[in-house]
Amino acid sequence: GMNVLFIIVDDLRPLLGCYGDKLVKSPNIDQLASQSIVFSNAYAQQAVCAPSRVSFLTGRRPDTTRLYDFYSYWRVHAGNYSTMPQYFKENGYMTLSVGKVFHPGVSSNYSDDYPYSWSIPPFHPSAEKHENDKTCRGKDGKLYANLVCPVDVTEMPGGTLPDMQSTEKAIHLLNIMKTNRQKFFLAIGYHKPHIPLRYPQEFLKLYPLENITLAPDPWVPKKLPSVAYNPWMDIRQRDDVEALNVSFPYGPLPDDFQRQIRQSYYAAVSYLDVQIGLLLNALDNVGLSDNTIVVFTADHGWSLGEHGEWAKYSNFDVATRVPLMFYVPGMTTSPVSRGSRVFPYLDPFSHAGGSAPQGQIKNVVELVSLFSTLADLAGLQVPPACPEMSFGVVLCTEGASLVRYFNVSERMVEEGKEGCDDTDRCFKEEPFAFSQYPRPADTPQWNSDKPKLKDIRIMGYSMRTIDYRYTVWVQFDPNNFSANFEDVRAGELYMMENDPNQDFNIYNNTSHGWFFKKILDVLKH
């Protein structure tokens, strides 16, 4: 059996060279992609940290985990569902957690689901507690809690940053696992590019401000239903954004500041890329690149000014689409000889990057499939598909294994359609990804981004296929977790071919009975 190195990044949209971004410097992630199968249309089930992570770590959708906010633990609140690391642990693996894997707090029982999921207590970097402190030096020399926060690392508490500590810890664990010779499942969760955009200031040099453009569509679309808009409250609370005195809910932020946010997001991605490079180079150094599966993904994306929005908290592609790649020695690459170097470290300051992915798969897929995919790749028995009502079922998943796509003949053919049998539970139709987002009201409120369960009144269910994104916002009762599809508050329909950025909502001038029937079918199954 192979080891698993599971890399999960916070708030990373596919802003990477291997996904076609021309500006970003991400040579180490691109190098991983060049040895991997890369999914170019992978989507999270809810664009916020805790619900997304609990969903893919249990292999169940948010309607089954009943977690749409941060404030309940699924084992108590929904069902005692097994997790992906727990399944590996029960199958003889040493399971290890470093950094932000589960969302910390109530939603993982204040323990990152230890001891169920992990063999030893999870590691959290000590510098994490300073994430929201005033550590950003302003032009006046004073310290602030800013959104845009390039720093001199030597001036930081402890002289370090959380992701640097996580990389060091993970490398330390790889060295221990090499001597132990025990199969391992090592999950490492990186914080950046989550806000605040706090990273070593030298990474700004990679992105001169004059090279940074605004989003292609930095305005609120005319036909966007108000319920669909997220007013980005979390960035409004940062000192530098607060000083701009931007009107609620639609803003907009001044153009020059939008550019600065985008510049810092790019810089944070390159800082992350260095961490990935050091980690994968260490995998080479301990001689484990020939028998370790590497998975790289994110919990959701992040809007960078598209639709006049910032942060996640929506059903748009910019918030739900994530990078997803799998390196499987001997499967995504030719057989790797023992101790060979697959991942030499590449310095983003001197290396252009841009290696092409090994295989790019256009089929639309979901993060809820991660559990069954990893079990499948590791040669474990794939957990059964969940029955319609699965609250009492300890081990099952709501996402089919993606390993079938690793075979070239199964990939999407040029015209963008492919058949799949009933076991994929996509009822002889094209693949789709299903996401959802709760709202407290029909119009933007102070708590629209992150409503607590008791305040949810509307749920936006969204279906993405290769051709369209269709979303219906329906009445929702948080007391019995029920959505009422007879009470549709608003809808969105975007056709990808001529509207790839999802700016022109044609819901009100299209007959959409077919789409509505399809979304109800999906929810039934």
Side-chain angles (χ1 to χ4, degrees), residues 497-517:
E497 192 174 2
N498 45 17
D499 183 19
N501 297 330
Q502 301 163 13
D503 293 320
F504 303 100
N505 178 15
I506 60 169
Y507 179 87
N508 286 335
N509 42 3
T510 313
S511 75
H512 40 76
W514 179 84
F515 296 100
F516 190 66
K517 182 182 171 304

Side-chain angles (χ1 to χ4, degrees), residues 362-392:
K362 292 193 172 70
N363 304 68
V364 172
V365 300
E366 305 176 292
L367 287 187
V368 76
S369 290
L370 273 171
F371 188 163
S372 43
T373 306
L374 273 174
D376 202 352
L377 288 172
L380 305 180
Q381 193 169 355
V382 178
C386 290
E388 242 167 77
M389 285 296 283
S390 67
F391 294 108

Side-chain angles (χ1 to χ4, degrees), residues 376-438:
D376 202 352
L377 288 172
L380 305 180
Q381 193 169 355
V382 178
C386 290
E388 242 167 77
M389 285 296 283
S390 67
F391 294 108
V393 183
V394 170
L395 181 68
C396 69
T397 75
E398 294 179 337
S401 168
L402 304 177
V403 173
R404 64 190 186 279
Y405 293 133
F406 284 48
N407 178 343
V408 178
S409 64
E410 291 294 313
R411 289 186 205 159
M412 180 166 282
V413 282
E414 274 316 294
E415 61 270 22
K417 294 283 184 292
E418 54 106 73
C420 52
D421 59 32
D422 288 332
T423 56
D424 298 332
R425 300 166 69 215
C426 55
F427 39 91
K428 296 187 165 46
E429 290 277 3
E430 61 196 326
F432 59 82
F434 209 71
S435 304
Q436 60 193 98
Y437 212 86

